[in-house]
Amino acid sequence: MANSEFDTIAAISTPVGEGGISIIRISGSAALAVANQLIKGPDLTQVASHTINYGHLIDPTTAEEVDEVMVSVMLAPRTYTKEDVVEINCHGGLLATNRTLQLVLSHGARLAEPGEFTKRAFLNGRLDLSQAEAVMDLIRAKTDQSMQVALNQLDGDLSRLIKRLRQDILDVLAQVEVNIDYPEYDAVEEMTSQMLKEKAQSVKQHLVALLQSAKQGKVLRDGLATAIIGRPNVGKSSLLNTLLHEDKAIVTNVAGTTRDVIEEYVNVNGVPLRLIDTAGIRQTDDQVEKIGVARSKQALDAADLVLLLLDSSRELTGEDRALIEATAAKPRIVILNKTDLPSQIDTGQVQAMIGDTPLLKTSITDHTGVDQLGALIAHLFFEQGIESHQGEVMVTNARHIGLLAQANEALDEVLSGLAAGMPVDLVQIDMTRCWDLLGEITGDSYQDELLDQLFSQFCLGK
Amino acid sequence: MEVSSAKQYEAGSYDVIVVGAGHAGSEAALAAARMGNRTLLVTISLEMVAFMPCNPSLGGPAKGIVVREIDALGGQMGKNIDQTYVQMRMLNTGKGPAVRALRAQADKHAYHRQMKLTIEQEPNLTLRQATVDDLIVEDGVCCGVITNTGARYRAKAVVLTVGTAARGKIIIGELQYESGPNNSKAAVKLSEALERLGFELERFKTGTPPRVNGNTIDYAATEEQPGDETPHHFSFDTPDSAYLPVKDQLSCWLTYTNPAVHDLIRANLDRAPMFSGLIEGVGPRYCPSIEDKVVRFADKDRHQLFLEPEGRDTDEYYVDGLSTSFPEEIQQQLLHQIKGLEHVEMMRPGYAIEYDVVAPHQLHPTLETKLIKNLYTAGQTNGTSGYEEAAGQGLIAGINAGRRALGLAPFVLKRSDAYIGVMIDDLVTKGTKEPYRLLTSRAEYRLILRHDNADLRLMAMGHALGLVSDERLAAMEAKKATVAAEIKRLATVRLKPGSAADEFIQAHGDHALKDSLTAAALLKRPYVSYDQLLEFIPAPATPLDRQAKEQVEIQLKYEGYIKKEEVKVNRLKRMEAKKIPANIDYDQIDGLATEGRQKLAKIRPETLAQASRISGVNPADLAILSVYIQHH
């Protein structure tokens, strides 16, 4: 990371999930070359400096058009970093922004460290001494924040899977190292090209699946399957309508394929939600007799996130309790609605039943508490990492995607090296790179790990 | 123990004084003297000069490359072993070129005698037996040493290579006594002097196996391990014609421990100092005692043991794999349970030895201490294990002490220059919690740091230092030119479809040629050697020797991987070039994280690249640091 100072870096330079346009900034000597591979439109190496150019962002591997974009080209030295800078203005929102960054990162740029553009500006003499202190504070603050976010994102399945893959690779590396450093010890099996090939292929399979999940951006594209449940007349359809109206950018209405219901796509604070069984919500509020826990449960099974509504103007019913229990295993938010009416519900009792589940008070008709709901959903998604239960493990973070793509390329090189008959200890150079890259995702990349593995696993020495 | 002290006297002055004449001290003293410094080498015992108190062997993975590097820089170890080996083997021949490793079994007595003679014959170098008890330090500058005989020697620079003699303590079962290696004298007062000067000392432990009489080994019950037919040598200067035929080499013999041995060990663990708590020092994980192996790897029912001859004029054998600090009687019993050793006579018991180490974060990359100017340390004193590691550091410490005395700029090898550079950077940047051994996995650029190119990498540096003669440099330059010319030629010679080369290609299961192919491209295929290639193309005007052929093959076959590593090296160069001012005050830099600040203040890295390798210093700290040094 820090080794590659002054290579070409990129990052999203607008807040993610907010605003109609996102800007991906690329800085460094290869900035034009990186962007030029991705833009169908004018040849960026030929356009005048400090111009904005219209074009299409393409994925060169599939030639697919990803987005309609405006590209600013600014040549050194009259730029923020005093390096060549290209800024791709793409459509805002998580999906488009992430996809764009991902393409940039897999075509020659490295994800910028927090504060790195500013740091470069400073090192290249763009900022004066009086700004130095501010820059340092900025770098520090951003790093702490991003490390925190990175840590949070790493709870869960992705982190476990990456750690397992790294352990698998480490086993291989340790064995190769032992073969090299202790050639005469017969207790350690010789790692053969065939064995290395099998290991590389097995790790690769996982990485490809992960990248596939990223590529599809299941959550990002399909939205987080969200069920709004609750007793009749508790405010489900009001909430639905509010969410739909809040969202200026309803993506699409499509007919459900497995269930005969309409699903609505909304974007709440940057999180794409797929509201499931919206038809059911509408129907059941009209036709009181058809209601019930049974119907809700069906929606529940498919949900990644549950919004459970309780009526704060009534006492808790048996049905409420059943719903609370039925949703216990799901990421959920419990909403006490109708706070505009006198409270009858025992909040303490509800809190006791739901444990750490976030509890929110709203009056949807008065529009109070709705903003907090949006913020809470964003918090759950971005920082606590709800994962869709339909996919296996999912990768949504552009930095992770970039690293996974590079790790996968390293494995390709392992396999092509083996195919070319290269000895195991050379091919291992690329295997080690794969391990290091995966370590950047989980935050551990120390050579000491390898040595520890070596000496804990094998009995060596005189 | 002295009962009374000698009266001190002024014994003269030197440019450089080296304390200790083990593998580190010998290289340090020779290097300093050869650079033109009047040099004094003081040793506790003249019988211990370049002595091998553990394995009678040199080289192997990573370590063998270090011996080549020492040789390329103008050191002595490679030449000395080429004159005194009893067996040579190339290890890892089935693997890639980066990890092939030459190892020699030494005649340990001849090795010692040859090195001692070389030192005695070196102009500018005085060898003297004495124990150094104290250092002369004036205003934070080391100006000389004081011996137990009362001699006060003054010098412009002092190198300490004290090894396991530093407050050494031998432990055999319940027995423990003050001693240096192989029952030589321990150096106790020097450790006390270092503590008084404020050095942080650590306590390390290492050990050695019992020695047995070869006449009592049942060789028929063991497997013979002979040397190689193909000529090998460590030094650039040794000709292939000097290589000993296998019949004139000595073999090693392989046997194994067994469940009976392991049971005996387990039954007596209460008498093993490692487990009874008698040993406090930290031992190396990669060099475990047999009791350690049996406890930690309980599921293994046997461990390999190599019986290694200690020399030509002795029948004493070293039992490699059986390092132990059990009581003598248990050691006897253990030996007799081993196949081939049932009736063996133990000549010396194995032992553990504890000794003092100068925690190496207290050193500059030149191996000068940060605390006391003009004082350098090297070898086991710095926490390493192994003769090669010691010699490599000794050479660097000797060079830098010599250059200081001459008023010249310091000399530091980078991680991308040499394994010696990797080792010293690891030591001064990360420190070590156990005796440090070089492993190929410690080097991030091991394809560049090969044993076959140590001469090409380092000889010009050795020449600039004044340790390599003009003739030697010219010979290396000639080899380099020959290799480059041949690689260039192979890129222009073309092999046509339907030629003998095409048939050869198809015979190896490859596709027939459609277009012509360069000889260089053919040589890149795994099944083609340079000699085979010459069957299809005209020979070069001057035929290549064995080493030049090897270079052509390696440089062409592994070009892609070599380039990859070179890219990494070049990236790091910018950071290596960013020097951190020596007087930097980390408390004055706003924004550094507490851990990063503490680590930086402790290690005091000299470049941004070195700072980046300190664990606990994160990228933000580096960014802040680089901003700071840019503007101060």
Side-chain angles (χ1 to χ4, degrees):
Chain A
M1 279 188 303
N3 295 356
S4 31
E5 211 179 346
F6 300 107
D7 49 7
T8 295
I9 55 172
I12 303 169
S13 63
T14 44
V16 183
E18 297 166 25
I21 298 233
S22 288
I23 299 174
I24 312 295
R25 178 184 288 163
I26 314 169
S27 176
S29 54
L32 277 175
V34 170
N36 216 28
Q37 303 167 65
L38 301 174
I39 302 299
K40 202 170 87 183
D43 180 351
L44 299 179
T45 61
Q46 299 303 316
V47 304
S49 182
H50 294 76
T51 57
I52 296 189
N53 307 276
Y54 171 82
H56 286 87
L57 184 73
I58 53 161
D59 182 343
T61 52
T62 59
E64 175 200 358
E65 271 185 21
V66 177
D67 200 356
E68 202 177 7
V69 293
M70 301 292 285
V71 185
S72 312
V73 172
M74 292 161 279
L75 300 181
R78 284 196 307 125
T79 68
Y80 181 62
T81 55
K82 284 202 155 189
E83 300 172 339
D84 286 351
V85 171
V86 174
E87 290 183 347
I88 302 177
N89 298 246
C90 63
H91 282 99
L94 221 49
L95 169 62
T97 313
N98 254 327
R99 183 78 192 272
T100 307
L101 178 60
Q102 191 190 331
L103 282 169
V104 168
L105 296 182
S106 54
H107 287 84
R110 166 175 69 76
L111 190 70
E113 302 287 330
E116 196 170 2
F117 289 110
T118 308
K119 178 186 151 196
R120 286 199 178 186
F122 190 76
L123 293 181
N124 289 327
R126 172 78 160 63
L127 306 177
D128 65 30
L129 186 56
S130 65
Q131 290 165 294
E133 302 298 307
V135 172
M136 291 179 196
D137 288 347
L138 189 72
I139 293 170
R140 171 95 276 143
K142 278 194 174 178
T143 305
D144 290 347
Q145 195 185 18
S146 69
M147 278 168 71
Q148 196 54 42
V149 170
L151 285 177
N152 284 336
Q153 279 176 340
L154 271 168
D155 276 344
D157 296 345
L158 175 63
S159 152
R160 275 192 292 277
L161 177 61
I162 298 280
K163 285 194 168 154
R164 207 187 76 217
L165 292 178
R166 285 191 89 229
Q167 187 59 48
D168 283 353
I169 299 174
L170 189 59
D171 288 343
V172 174
L173 295 180
Q175 196 173 339
V176 174
E177 295 297 343
V178 169
N179 293 158
I180 292 168
D181 276 321
Y182 295 89
E184 292 185 306
Y185 278 77
D186 60 3
V188 184
E189 192 186 355
E190 183 78 21
M191 172 63 69
T192 61
S193 298
Q194 186 56 35
M195 287 159 69
L196 188 61
K197 187 176 162 188
E198 283 164 19
K199 283 280 183 184
Q201 281 169 338
S202 128
V203 173
K204 190 174 164 61
Q205 239 173 15
H206 286 284
L207 293 192
V208 168
L210 279 175
L211 283 168
Q212 198 62 35
S213 84
K215 204 170 181 182
Q216 291 170 346
K218 256 190 176 160
V219 161
L220 297 174
R221 190 193 62 189
D222 297 348
L224 197 64
T226 306
I228 301 176
I229 64 165
R231 283 190 293 116
N233 217 19
V234 71
K236 295 195 291 291
S237 56
S238 310
L239 177 59
L240 177 67
N241 288 332
T242 304
L243 288 177
L244 292 177
H245 289 141
E246 283 296 301
D247 179 37
K248 306 275 188 315
I250 295 176
V251 182
T252 176
N253 286 343
V254 291
T257 46
T258 55
R259 291 173 304 279
D260 189 22
V261 290
I262 298 292
E263 296 181 335
E264 307 274 1
Y265 288 75
V266 302
N267 187 323
V268 176
N269 287 35
V271 184
L273 300 186
R274 188 176 89 239
L275 299 170
I276 50 182
D277 197 21
T278 52
I281 293 170
R282 288 189 174 119
Q283 271 171 31
T284 52
D285 273 12
D286 294 338
Q287 304 171 336
V288 179
E289 65 273 21
K290 277 195 177 177
I291 34 119
V293 180
R295 176 88 202 213
S296 290
K297 267 187 177 163
Q298 205 185 346
L300 209 57
D301 287 340
D304 299 319
L305 172 67
V306 172
L307 304 179
L308 171 57
L309 284 163
L310 301 175
D311 187 341
S312 71
S313 65
R314 304 274 173 86
E315 287 186 19
L316 213 56
T317 68
E319 212 175 343
D320 287 331
R321 289 197 184 86
L323 285 170
I324 290 173
E325 276 171 33
T327 56
K330 290 276 176 187
R332 62 179 175 177
I333 298 172
V334 174
I335 300 161
L336 298 184
N337 194 28
K338 304 196 185 177
T339 52
D340 49 316
L341 300 175
S343 174
Q344 292 287 323
I345 202 161
D346 182 346
T347 311
Q349 189 191 359
V350 174
Q351 190 71 65
M353 286 184 71
I354 62 172
D356 343 323
T357 303
L359 182 68
L360 196 69
K361 293 183 180 174
T362 63
S363 167
I364 292 166
T365 49
D366 284 6
H367 205 84
T368 51
V370 176
D371 290 346
Q372 285 98 303
L373 178 63
L376 200 52
I377 291 173
H379 174 81
L380 280 180
F381 181 74
F382 289 115
E383 297 192 20
Q384 297 195 343
I386 299 178
E387 283 156 359
S388 168
H389 73 292
Q390 289 158 337
E392 290 283 284
V393 177
M394 190 119 358
V395 191
T396 53
N397 175 308
R399 177 177 160 267
H400 296 168
I401 295 169
L403 290 166
L404 284 171
Q406 289 179 55
N408 192 41
E409 279 167 27
L411 286 177
D412 284 338
E413 289 179 32
V414 169
L415 293 169
S416 65
L418 288 169
M422 287 293 166
V424 165
D425 55 279
L426 282 190
V427 174
Q428 195 215 10
I429 292 174
D430 291 311
M431 199 75 171
T432 306
R433 196 158 65 88
C434 177
W435 183 56
D436 281 337
L437 288 163
L438 293 180
E440 282 190 39
I441 296 179
T442 54
D444 358 68
S445 238
Y446 298 113
Q447 202 159 28
D448 294 345
E449 274 184 66
L450 177 65
L451 296 180
D452 288 342
Q453 175 76 7
L454 222 65
F455 296 116
S456 61
Q457 190 177 339
F458 304 108
C459 180
L460 304 162
K462 52 190 178 188
Chain B
M1 285 293 130
E2 287 144 352
V3 287
S4 63
S5 307
K7 188 167 181 295
Q8 292 191 4
Y9 71 103
E10 293 300 326
S13 68
Y14 291 84
D15 294 319
V16 175
I17 295 174
V18 178
V19 180
H23 303 283
S26 298
E27 294 293 347
L30 284 167
R34 286 169 179 169
M35 288 162 66
N37 294 290
R38 283 193 63 236
T39 304
L40 172 69
L41 175 58
V42 191
T43 173
I44 276 185
S45 162
L46 289 174
E47 280 63 53
M48 294 293 286
V49 174
F51 188 72
M52 297 182 168
C54 203
N55 281 48
S57 126
L58 272 188
K63 292 162 169 274
I65 302 178
V66 170
V67 180
R68 285 264 167 101
E69 290 175 349
I70 291 169
D71 181 69
L73 287 167
Q76 195 63 28
M77 185 171 249
K79 289 188 178 71
N80 207 61
I81 185 65
D82 281 352
Q83 289 168 293
T84 57
Y85 69 94
V86 297
Q87 185 197 99
M88 281 279 184
R89 275 183 79 188
M90 186 66 82
L91 307 175
N92 286 336
T93 48
K95 300 194 177 81
V99 300
R100 281 171 211 156
L102 186 57
R103 196 185 58 199
Q105 293 299 132
D107 180 326
K108 70 196 283 182
H109 307 291
Y111 187 93
H112 146 76
R113 284 193 304 269
Q114 183 60 41
M115 186 66 87
K116 182 162 172 261
L117 182 64
T118 305
I119 289 167
E120 287 162 356
Q121 291 179 340
E122 184 66 38
N124 274 340
L125 181 53
T126 302
L127 177 63
R128 185 157 301 165
Q129 179 169 301
T131 304
V132 169
D133 282 347
D134 207 351
L135 300 174
I136 304 170
V137 176
E138 292 164 1
D139 298 327
V141 180
C142 187
C143 313
V145 302
I146 305 168
T147 70
N148 62 329
T149 50
R152 294 174 59 92
Y153 295 104
R154 297 191 70 88
K156 295 175 185 158
V158 173
V159 182
L160 297 182
T161 64
V162 194
T164 55
R167 205 147 44 190
K169 184 172 81 176
I170 280 183
I171 302 149
I172 305 171
E174 295 79 9
L175 169 69
Q176 32 179 327
Y177 55 94
E178 190 181 286
S179 175
N182 201 33
N183 292 316
S184 59
K185 210 178 132 200
V188 178
K189 290 189 176 169
L190 186 57
S191 277
E192 291 164 5
L194 289 172
E195 275 172 341
R196 270 199 312 279
L197 288 168
F199 283 101
E200 185 187 327
L201 301 185
E202 285 178 34
R203 202 77 179 142
F204 277 11
K205 170 254 162 190
T206 187
T208 194
R211 312 299 200 272
V212 298
N213 187 334
N215 276 315
T216 58
I217 295 173
D218 176 8
Y219 293 102
T222 66
E223 292 164 39
E224 182 168 9
Q225 300 211 305
D228 284 356
E229 293 281 0
T230 324
H232 306 295
H233 34 76
F234 279 102
S235 176
F236 181 81
D237 304 342
T238 311
D240 280 0
S241 58
Y243 190 70
L244 292 175
V246 175
K247 68 173 173 54
D248 294 339
Q249 298 188 28
L250 301 182
S251 290
C252 295
W253 306 84
L254 174 63
T255 183
Y256 297 90
T257 63
N258 54 51
V261 175
H262 298 187
D263 288 346
L264 188 61
I265 288 170
R266 277 188 281 264
N268 287 284
L269 277 183
D270 59 326
R271 300 193 64 194
M274 286 297 294
F275 296 93
S276 63
L278 211 57
I279 290 184
E280 321 152 12
V282 185
R285 289 177 294 180
Y286 46 77
C287 192
S289 62
I290 188 66
E291 47 268 36
D292 223 10
K293 292 187 208 176
V294 168
V295 170
R296 283 180 50 212
F297 299 93
D299 55 326
K300 295 201 58 171
D301 53 9
R302 68 174 202 179
H303 295 279
Q304 284 174 313
L305 301 173
F306 298 92
L307 307 174
E308 303 177 3
E310 294 231 319
R312 289 188 184 281
D313 51 1
T314 175
D315 264 325
E316 200 173 343
Y317 272 71
Y318 174 95
V319 187
D320 185 338
L322 205 71
S323 174
T324 180
S325 52
F326 267 125
E328 190 177 84
E329 59 165 320
I330 311 280
Q331 294 193 28
Q332 290 264 21
Q333 293 170 25
L334 286 177
L335 287 168
H336 290 164
Q337 296 285 347
I338 293 165
K339 201 173 167 200
L341 304 182
E342 290 87 348
H343 306 290
V344 87
E345 273 175 21
M346 184 169 81
M347 297 177 70
R348 313 171 197 234
Y351 60 83
I353 184 165
E354 278 189 352
Y355 56 100
D356 285 344
V357 162
V358 173
H361 70 264
Q362 303 171 98
L363 304 174
H364 294 291
T366 55
L367 299 181
E368 185 182 21
T369 68
K370 293 170 185 167
L371 206 54
I372 307 289
K373 206 176 164 210
N374 296 353
L375 178 66
Y376 299 75
T377 61
Q380 277 170 306
T381 300
N382 291 349
T384 57
S385 114
Y387 313 137
E388 305 83 350
E389 286 89 342
Q393 289 170 71
L395 179 62
I396 298 301
I399 287 170
N400 279 309
R403 289 178 71 81
R404 173 61 55 78
L406 294 167
L408 299 171
F411 174 72
V412 174
L413 288 170
K414 293 194 291 293
R415 296 182 75 89
S416 50
D417 290 331
Y419 270 90
I420 298 173
V422 171
M423 165 175 63
I424 293 176
D425 182 67
D426 277 351
L427 289 171
V428 304
T429 307
K430 297 177 180 165
T432 182
K433 294 193 169 59
E434 63 183 335
Y436 176 100
R437 177 194 161 146
L438 262 177
L439 297 161
T440 59
S441 50
R442 295 197 197 265
E444 53 275 73
Y445 315 115
R446 72 179 172 208
L447 190 52
I448 293 176
L449 307 184
R450 305 188 307 270
H451 82 127
D452 61 85
N453 71 354
D455 49 357
L456 305 177
R457 281 187 277 133
L458 299 171
M459 208 177 275
M461 294 184 198
H463 182 258
L465 290 166
L467 295 173
V468 168
S469 68
D470 294 346
E471 299 74 43
R472 201 174 185 226
L473 181 72
M476 186 280 289
E477 295 289 6
K479 171 184 169 186
K480 199 177 187 174
T482 306
V483 171
E486 183 62 355
I487 288 176
K488 206 171 158 189
R489 182 182 82 99
L490 294 182
T492 58
V493 178
R494 304 196 75 92
L495 302 155
K496 298 211 165 53
S499 65
D502 196 5
E503 283 167 30
F504 172 83
I505 288 168
Q506 293 173 50
H508 282 85
D510 242 353
H511 296 298
L513 292 181
K514 285 192 185 127
D515 303 310
S516 70
L517 183 75
T518 66
L522 180 57
L523 186 53
K524 285 188 178 194
R525 301 194 177 182
Y527 50 84
V528 189
S529 71
Y530 177 80
D531 282 334
Q532 284 170 319
L533 188 67
L534 283 193
E535 294 171 17
F536 310 117
I537 63 167
T542 335
L544 275 60
D545 64 14
R546 185 172 60 83
Q547 288 89 341
K549 284 180 193 173
E550 184 187 27
Q551 272 316 300
V552 170
E553 271 189 22
I554 291 172
Q555 290 188 20
L556 275 177
K557 275 190 190 297
Y558 308 109
E559 194 182 14
Y561 288 97
I562 293 171
K563 282 209 173 120
K564 252 184 224 180
E565 294 209 336
E566 279 169 352
V567 167
K568 273 163 62 181
V569 171
N570 285 331
R571 269 193 189 166
L572 200 62
K573 274 200 178 134
R574 298 184 70 136
M575 281 179 77
E576 298 282 4
K578 286 200 182 164
K579 303 279 180 227
I580 301 175
N583 59 356
I584 194 165
D585 179 356
Y586 289 103
D587 286 334
Q588 294 302 307
I589 307 178
D590 288 331
L592 287 177
T594 310
E595 187 189 2
R597 186 192 306 276
Q598 286 169 350
K599 291 276 177 66
L600 287 166
K602 180 178 173 189
I603 309 290
R604 303 199 66 80
E606 301 196 352
T607 65
L608 265 190
Q610 192 193 349
S612 75
R613 292 189 289 267
I614 301 173
S615 67
V617 174
N618 66 33
D621 295 325
L622 286 176
I624 289 164
L625 185 59
S626 70
V627 166
Y628 184 87
I629 57 180
Q630 190 97 350
H631 286 269
H632 286 79

